[in-house]
């Protein structure tokens, strides 16, 4: 019978299993994050939103590497509040669709198929969660499958 492993040992085991199954490592995460944000900065839809808020990109990129390490590899490197950071942003479904399109394109370019699928599945869940939270913060309760549009009643 296998012993129950908890705490840091469990996290390390899970991280190792994900790395072995997907090929994801910290270097791949960094390539993905840097490639993605290069696209975001040049994007007509998203670029101005990020540029208005991020003056020094290097700390942001490092924080996003830690975030994706935690999300993709379960490393626990990220300690932050993503929802709180995103709630005041002037974004809606169109912005999340563009964010996902750029992220998915970057993942296709940077990652082997198993890693790409792993990242994209998580990115889609993150986008849906953030969109739902932003809608709620703007007084809009979304039904299943409904998207948040800034021109909805109650939205700013």
């Amino acid at each position: 019978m296998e012993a129950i492993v908890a705490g840091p040992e469990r996290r390390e085991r899970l991280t190792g299993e994900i790395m072995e199954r997907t090929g994801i490592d910290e270097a791949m995460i960094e390539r993905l994050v840097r490639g993605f944000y290069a696209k975001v900065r040049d994007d007509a839809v998203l670029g101005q939103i990020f540029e208005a808020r991020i003056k020094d990109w290097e700390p942001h990129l490092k924080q996003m590497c830690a975030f994706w390490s935690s999300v993709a590899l379960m490393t626990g490197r990220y300690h932050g509040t993503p929802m709180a950071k995103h709630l005041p942003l002037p974004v809606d479904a169109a912005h999340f669709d563009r964010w996902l399109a750029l992220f998915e394109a970057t993942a296709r370019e940077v990652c082997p198929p198993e890693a790409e699928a792993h990242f994209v599945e998580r990115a889609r869940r993150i986008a849906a969660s953030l969109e739902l939270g932003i809608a709620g913060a703007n007084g809009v309760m979304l039904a299943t499958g409904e998207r948040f549009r800034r021109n909805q009643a109650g939205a700013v």
Side-chain angles (χ1 to χ4, degrees):
M1 189 164 135
E2 188 176 330
I4 296 174
V5 180
E9 296 86 14
R10 181 173 187 268
R11 181 183 300 276
E12 286 178 26
R13 190 187 80 220
L14 290 171
T15 297
E17 289 170 1
I18 295 166
M19 291 174 83
E20 185 177 323
R21 186 180 77 252
T22 64
I24 296 170
D25 60 15
E26 296 294 340
M28 183 186 297
I29 291 169
E30 185 162 351
R31 287 191 306 274
L32 176 66
V33 166
R34 289 184 181 280
F36 169 66
Y37 280 103
K39 285 177 174 42
V40 164
R41 291 178 79 177
D42 290 338
D43 189 72
V45 175
L46 299 177
Q48 61 190 349
I49 293 169
F50 281 85
E51 287 300 327
R53 288 155 184 82
I54 301 171
K55 301 306 177 206
D56 185 358
W57 274 88
E58 197 54 33
H60 181 71
L61 293 173
K62 287 182 180 186
Q63 186 175 41
M64 291 301 92
C65 286
F67 174 81
W68 280 103
S69 177
S70 291
V71 168
L73 295 177
M74 299 181 65
T75 61
R77 286 184 46 214
Y78 178 76
H79 303 284
T81 54
M83 184 64 75
K85 298 278 188 194
H86 288 81
L87 287 179
L89 298 179
V91 297
D92 67 4
H95 297 92
F96 285 107
D97 290 346
R98 186 66 186 149
W99 182 89
L100 279 171
L102 294 175
F103 188 88
E104 290 174 12
T106 309
R108 267 192 311 280
E109 294 166 10
V110 170
C111 304
E114 189 72 26
E116 174 193 349
H118 189 79
F119 279 119
V120 166
E121 185 271 332
R122 281 149 183 79
R124 288 177 181 169
R125 279 194 283 145
I126 291 164
S129 175
L130 290 173
E131 185 178 333
L132 186 64
I134 289 169
N138 283 278
V140 177
M141 300 308 296
L142 298 177
T144 302
E146 190 176 13
R147 303 293 307 278
F148 176 59
R149 312 275 179 211
R150 287 259 166 208
N151 59 358
Q152 286 175 273
V156 203

